[in-house]
Amino acid sequence: MNPYEIIQSHFNTSQEISSRLLDYFKAETLEKGEMHTSIGQNHCKLSFVLSGYLRVYRQDLKHEVTQWVSSPGEIICDLNAILFDAPARWNIEALSNVELLSLSQSDYFKMQQSIKEWPSIEKAFMAKCFISIEERVYQLISQPAADRYQFLVENRPDLIQHIPQQYLASMIGMSAETFSRMRKKSVS
């Protein structure tokens, strides 16, 4: 997808408004291992992934939890940080070389002031984000591990090929060992 199509598809806006929104976004690249966002960081950004993969995670004393892996065409940000000007709660790391279309926090606030349609666009966009999160939570608490694995295989096959299995296992709420067993079973 090109930058214009990404803006239009995520914000569901007309050509004119999409072009105006796109003026606030900047092209950005990250090398594998580089951080998009670090816990505690201020002045975060909202980005659309043009190519590559980024992992959203947090680590405590006992273990590391991968909350999400974003792939081309998806959004990546710490919503709490950008919306409420709060320190970031998540680390976001490039798992490969990545091309992004990014909106800085300061430009996010400028856009709110200069695009009169933004409040309704933002509301619809946040609703889409919230619905997506609701679906993920439902899957994690209601479906057995085998079903969560199968959903990943069917709906995100690119992740199976490109992302280390310990990150994927964590993302769908299972141990790396269980994930490995299911992967072996599905290949046989």
Side-chain angles (χ1 to χ4, degrees):
M1 290 179 109
N2 69 43
Y4 176 81
E5 290 171 334
I6 286 179
I7 296 292
Q8 197 166 32
S9 70
H10 280 279
F11 292 124
N12 196 28
T13 50
S14 69
Q15 290 180 347
E16 184 224 334
I17 293 173
S18 295
S19 293
R20 288 176 34 216
L21 292 173
L22 188 57
D23 288 341
Y24 289 90
F25 285 82
K26 309 286 185 273
E28 177 183 18
T29 58
L30 296 175
E31 299 293 319
K32 180 179 180 178
E34 199 172 342
M35 299 303 285
H36 174 276
T37 303
S38 297
I39 290 175
Q41 174 184 338
N42 290 311
H43 309 293
C44 294
K45 56 192 165 193
L46 180 146
S47 301
F48 294 105
V49 182
L50 300 176
S51 69
Y53 299 90
L54 293 110
R55 176 173 74 117
V56 180
Y57 72 97
R58 191 171 2 195
Q59 187 168 351
D60 61 25
L61 295 174
K62 295 182 181 181
H63 62 289
E64 185 176 275
V65 175
T66 297
Q67 186 243 30
W68 186 250
V69 174
S70 278
S71 54
E74 294 183 331
I75 186 173
I76 190 88
C77 80
D78 184 319
L79 276 176
N80 183 62
I82 197 159
L83 292 177
F84 301 109
D85 196 21
R89 299 175 307 148
W90 297 95
N91 290 311
I92 303 175
E93 175 188 21
L95 295 177
S96 63
N97 292 340
V98 178
E99 294 178 347
L100 301 165
L101 190 59
S102 295
L103 176 66
S104 71
Q105 189 171 34
S106 61
D107 283 341
Y108 182 86
F109 292 124
K110 286 178 191 172
M111 193 168 62
Q112 288 176 334
Q113 301 301 313
S114 65
I115 298 179
K116 68 178 170 109
E117 300 88 353
W118 180 247
S120 61
I121 295 167
E122 181 185 44
K123 182 179 177 183
F125 176 68
M126 290 303 151
K128 280 174 53 175
C129 292
F130 186 72
I131 290 166
S132 174
I133 291 167
E134 281 182 328
E135 287 297 320
R136 288 194 53 235
V137 168
Y138 174 76
Q139 287 175 348
L140 285 172
I141 64 175
S142 70
Q143 295 182 348
D147 290 350
R148 293 191 309 265
Y149 175 81
Q150 193 58 41
F151 183 85
L152 182 67
V153 168
E154 291 172 3
N155 293 285
R156 307 283 309 273
D158 60 315
L159 296 184
I160 301 288
Q161 295 175 356
H162 299 287
I163 306 303
Q165 71 181 23
Q166 73 266 21
Y167 300 156
L168 297 178
S170 177
M171 184 177 91
I172 62 173
M174 65 178 66
S175 69
E177 296 79 16
T178 300
F179 189 92
S180 181
R181 274 196 313 274
M182 289 185 185
R183 190 172 188 175
K184 286 178 186 173
K185 191 186 273 188
S186 73
V187 172
S188 328

